[in-house]
Amino acid sequence: MKKGLEKKGIIYVLLVCLIYGLMPAITQLSFRAGLSVETMLAGRYALTLILTWSYIRVKGIDCRIRGRQLALLLSVGLVYFGVAVSINQSYLYLPGSIASVLVFLYVSMTLILTFLSRREPVSLVKILCVLMSLLGMFLIIR
């Protein structure tokens, strides 16, 4: 991979980390202001829709949906709807930091499910990474 592209990718990941890290606090503020999970999500995604379509129009991106793409988009949308509602509901019952840390158990679950379902070999490095992340989550939650 070219150095410039790798650096750009790292910057985007760091930006996502910053934004994702702010979401629990912003969500908690929304709840304190009297918004429900549903109202907050509707407002967030309405704004996201407007910004995304504006970006697509300005860039002149062809975003026509062809064939089976519609079914795939609907499936992904339904799954993401479940994720968005669930994580935001969890912020009503848990501190945002704890809820967000617990969400990242999916990395460990993905590794385990991939091993069990596809019988893919798991390297020692992956096992150590999962164990260290689980230990870190335990220490934070405790």
Side-chain angles (χ1 to χ4, degrees), residues 37-106:
V37 169
E38 298 78 14
T39 304
M40 190 257 316
L41 286 175
R44 183 191 307 172
Y45 291 118
L47 177 60
T48 300
L49 180 67
I50 292 167
L51 293 173
T52 302
W53 277 109
S54 298
Y55 179 83
I56 287 169
R57 299 290 289 172
V58 167
K59 291 287 192 173
I61 298 170
D62 178 17
C63 59
R64 286 178 278 187
I65 300 168
R66 295 167 186 88
R68 292 180 33 197
Q69 293 173 335
L70 179 60
L72 181 60
L73 284 173
L74 290 173
S75 298
V76 170
L78 286 172
V79 169
Y80 191 73
F81 170 77
V83 169
V85 169
S86 297
I87 186 68
N88 285 285
Q89 283 289 115
S90 75
Y91 294 148
L92 291 171
Y93 306 104
L94 296 170
S97 58
I98 300 296
S100 295
V101 165
L102 289 173
V103 165
F104 286 101
L105 282 172
Y106 83 87

